[in-house]
Amino acid sequence: MVFYSEKVMDHFANPRNVGEIKDADGVGEIGNPVCGDMMIFYIKVKDNKVKDIKFKTFGCGAAIAVSSMISEMALGKTVDEVLKITNDDVAKALGGLPPNKLHCSNLGADALHKAVQDYKKIKIF
Ligand code: FES
């Protein structure tokens, strides 16, 4: 039996920032080859800060809660601060994840970081 914290249950039942940004400044997509789950993050950046963020997660409940929580953590932060958010930070903010669900938090941090890297690439060229 797997036990989830109240925060995980809340973010799973009422995920924040679900959706897509059509004219996103950065997009990051990650798939987990083991479970087949997938996550896409879209960010809009202004003055080097994340002004809008949306995600789509095709995955388990923990992955949905992770996406929702990390989207709230990233909103308003500079892109470099966002790159410093780790999977561990997200798991902690959610009040912990069961050990067999920790890999789901990797997916969130990786997809978000990829969206920031995509934004930085676009900005350079
Ligand atoms: Fe695949 Fe959670 S089981 S991300």
Side-chain angles (χ1 to χ4, degrees):
M1 174 104 184
V2 173
F3 292 101
Y4 289 113
S5 71
E6 260 177 46
K7 271 193 188 160
V8 172
M9 292 311 291
D10 176 35
H11 279 267
F12 167 61
N14 313 289
R16 294 32 153 196
N17 304 311
V18 174
E20 187 177 335
I21 302 174
K22 294 269 182 227
D23 58 342
D25 296 318
V27 180
E29 183 179 331
I30 288 277
N32 184 326
V34 179
C35 63
D37 290 354
M38 221 180 89
M39 215 178 259
I40 311 174
F41 269 92
Y42 305 85
I43 55 167
K44 200 79 193 145
V45 180
K46 195 161 177 252
D47 300 328
N48 219 33
K49 286 187 176 161
V50 176
K51 287 289 169 202
D52 196 11
I53 182 163
K54 293 272 183 283
F55 74 86
K56 286 203 262 188
T57 292
F58 309 90
C60 71
I64 292 169
V66 161
S67 323
S68 170
M69 175 54 91
I70 206 169
S71 71
E72 284 204 320
M73 290 167 81
L75 197 61
K77 288 209 168 63
T78 67
V79 287
D80 290 325
E81 283 169 344
V82 169
L83 286 176
K84 287 187 194 136
I85 302 174
T86 65
N87 54 328
D88 207 36
D89 296 335
V90 186
K92 275 194 193 122
L94 282 169
L97 282 169
N100 64 341
K101 286 284 167 185
L102 276 175
H103 74 276
C104 315
S105 60
N106 288 339
L107 213 57
D110 288 351
L112 180 61
H113 293 172
K114 225 173 154 189
V116 170
Q117 278 147 9
D118 185 45
Y119 159 72
K120 287 192 163 197
K121 204 166 59 202
I122 292 168
K123 225 179 92 186
I124 291 167
F125 296 108

